[in-house]
Amino acid sequence: EKGGHPHFMFKEILEQPEALHKTISPRIRDGRVVMDDLQLDPDYVKNISRIFIIACGSSYHVGMVAKYTFERLLRRPTEVVLASEFRYSDPLVDETTLAIVISQSGETLDTMAAMREAQRRGAKALAVVNVIGSSIARDADHVIYTWAGPEIAVATTKAYSTQLMLMNLLGLYMGDMLGTIDPQEYTDIVAAVEKIPAQMESCLADKAEIQYYASRYFNHNSIFFIGRNLDYALGMEGSLKLKEISYIHSEAYASGELKHGTISLIEPGTLVVALGTYEPLFDKAMSNMVEVKSRGAEVLALTTELCRDKMEKNADATICIPVTHPVLQPSLGIIPLQLFSYYVALQRGCDIDKPRNLAKSVTVE
Ligand code: M6R
């Protein structure tokens, strides 16, 4: 059932291009995003004053990426909240609030409770779910499915990627309804979306290089991920993946925050994974990277073909991914980070598919 692979996680990492294709292809027709499974009244959408994205764990990290994309495409204030915080926060919700709830399993208790709380206060809940007919899917006002197929490994990979992509499509769809997207940008993003599965294949084809970096760094006992904007959101997921399955202490930091405390933890040999895939802020990312380097950090950098030369001049090692539209860059950036966690955990002899203390779906508070 693992298709000849040693772990479900590895199988699921490799399945991502196909899973994405299934999530994308029914929803793009003649260069336009269509959502046959979503009946959103345009008048309702025009009235939305505020969006909450509510989720836990990796699904929350999808929300972190989507916040940037939604605010760019919809020009509506979009807040990402952990479900366990939202439910007890006396949230400012009314009928003009849209609550987007993201959950692979559709059974996460906190996410379910937060969704009910938003609905009780007058919001409509739109759920992005993988498991068909799950509790969240049943109780939401609207549901759209990620077509990732069953995900067995505790550490999510293909569900994360398909959630991310579905949020992009939703942002395009609603932004189009609102007229808040520049038509050229809309066309560019849709065209870029269609290329993502093939580009992802090429990221996966570089797995031997990532395995090599894992063998070089698996013995570190603390790893920092730094980045700005979408790279910060990406780093949060990269860091969670790593700690979840390899048990290495890891933290993700917004690069600009380093000076406000964390940089004191950098000592000679500390591994910093510097994310510089978001081209508009590449120079800023680079200067933060140089700062940690000058304090002795070992820097493993991630960037795109656009900035590769500059990055290679400063980092100890550089992983390069193909270029896409900036809002989609995390969809490619996540591949080497998943592979890195996987190979590090493999080197350390961890129980990859069933890491200690964790369950696939958290149905208790
Ligand atoms: O099923 P859900 O998406 O609601 O699950 C949320 C989290 O429990 C989940 O993403 C968790 O963080 C993963 N194990 C991360 O790999």
Side-chain angles (χ1 to χ4, degrees), residues 56-60 102-108 111 136 154-157 163 237 240-241 244 358-362:
C56 301
S58 293
S59 298
Y60 169 77
I102 308 177
S103 177
Q104 185 284 129
S105 61
E107 301 296 345
T108 302
T111 308
I136 291 174
V154 164
T156 180
T157 52
Q163 288 167 342
E237 176 60 6
L240 177 65
K241 236 26 356 134
E244 200 177 15
L358 293 172
K360 181 64 182 162
S361 100
V362 183

Side-chain angles (χ1 to χ4, degrees), residues 5 10 25 48 52 60 74 106 153 160 189 193 198 220 242 263 266 274 335 358:
H5 298 295
F10 192 63
S25 62
I48 294 173
F52 278 107
Y60 169 77
L74 272 67
Y160 171 89
I189 300 177
V193 163
H220 282 254
L242 185 76
I263 204 158
I266 306 293
I335 300 291
L358 293 172

Side-chain angles (χ1 to χ4, degrees), residues 139-150:
D139 287 5
D141 299 283
H142 303 278
V143 56
I144 47 178
Y145 287 106
T146 47
W147 298 112

Side-chain angles (χ1 to χ4, degrees), residues 24-29 32-37 173 186:
I24 296 167
S25 62
R27 293 176 169 120
I28 296 185
R29 223 169 285 144
R32 316 256 1 135
V33 177
V34 289
M35 292 259 174
D36 294 336
D37 43 355
Y173 180 74
Y186 181 92

Side-chain angles (χ1 to χ4, degrees), residues 281-291 307 310-314:
L281 290 177
F282 179 77
D283 290 338
K284 300 272 173 199
M286 181 67 115
S287 77
N288 294 123
M289 192 184 99
V290 171
E291 279 163 5
C307 307
K310 283 197 222 161
M311 195 61 122
E312 278 175 342
K313 287 200 186 90
N314 291 289

